[in-house]
Amino acid sequence: MTVSAPSPEPATPSLDALLCRAASRWGARRAVQQTFGVVSRLGDGWLWYGLIAALAVGGGERGRHAALQMAGTGIVAWLLYRTLKRRTRRPRPFRVHREVIARAPPLDEFSFPSGHTLHAVSFGIVAVGWFPVLALPLTLFAVLVAMSRVVLGLHYPSDVLAGAALGALLGLASRGLDAALVGALAG
């Protein structure tokens, strides 16, 4: 991983920076740090790999279709967020603001958008489209993933909001494209 020198801190902090600082102070509590650390690690992909496998193995034909769609959506999500991060090159908040502490190692150098949030929302939309019973747990998990990224000092709130918006667009587009393809094949 390439690490850049810290950026100079702006004279007047933005709302994004103020919220990051407040979240970082809250994240200093041991229980908060541990809880969001676990959530963030699950959001690294472990929960999604497990869900995709469980749906493929135990969900019948619908589960296999959902798992395949989630895998395809995940690849597009990865390409999208990697491209955006390389173009925007926004430094992570802990690199800019002394009061923001990184409480987990970042997976890459840049902050915008939150790939964890993008994946959580897009995977959640696809999975819930096939299995509506998953709506509550996957929605709660996506919210916790988004929160974890700010509390752990790895993202600004605007990074997770952008990740959520992009994830929603991608998840809905994936569902729409799938429905159109199935309809075209059936008709």
Side-chain angles (χ1 to χ4, degrees):
M1 175 178 82
T2 306
V3 178
S4 61
S7 302
E9 199 162 341
T12 306
S14 65
L15 179 58
D16 241 5
L18 292 172
L19 291 171
C20 275
R21 291 172 181 172
S24 188
R25 284 190 301 274
W26 187 51
R29 292 173 175 84
R30 183 176 168 93
V32 171
Q33 183 177 348
Q34 287 177 336
T35 300
F36 284 113
V38 168
V39 168
S40 186
R41 285 293 293 158
L42 288 171
D44 283 351
W46 300 109
L47 181 109
W48 305 120
Y49 305 144
L51 180 58
I52 288 169
L55 292 175
V57 171
E61 184 61 34
R62 288 174 58 83
R64 286 187 291 280
H65 195 133
L68 183 61
Q69 187 178 6
M70 287 176 71
T73 302
I75 291 167
V76 173
W78 183 81
L79 290 169
L80 177 62
Y81 95 85
R82 295 294 297 172
T83 300
L84 287 170
K85 281 186 182 230
R86 287 183 183 151
R87 291 194 181 196
T88 61
R89 303 178 68 82
R90 184 181 197 184
R92 292 191 180 269
F94 72 88
R95 297 222 183 275
V96 177
H97 307 285
R98 286 182 302 277
E99 299 91 351
V100 177
I101 307 298
R103 302 192 191 284
L107 296 181
D108 55 45
E109 186 175 356
F110 301 112
S111 182
F112 184 88
S114 167
H116 280 72
T117 307
L118 192 156
H119 280 96
V121 172
S122 62
F123 282 149
I125 288 171
V126 171
V128 167
W130 289 101
F131 297 94
V133 70
L134 297 174
L136 182 60
L138 292 183
T139 299
L140 289 173
F141 183 70
V143 169
L144 290 172
V145 166
M147 289 175 62
S148 78
R149 306 310 287 166
V150 178
V151 169
L152 296 174
L154 302 173
H155 286 283
Y156 292 96
S158 59
D159 298 336
V160 297
L161 290 174
L166 290 168
L169 289 172
L170 180 58
L172 292 171
S174 177
R175 292 291 299 150
L177 179 61
D178 184 72
L181 287 173
V182 169
L185 293 174

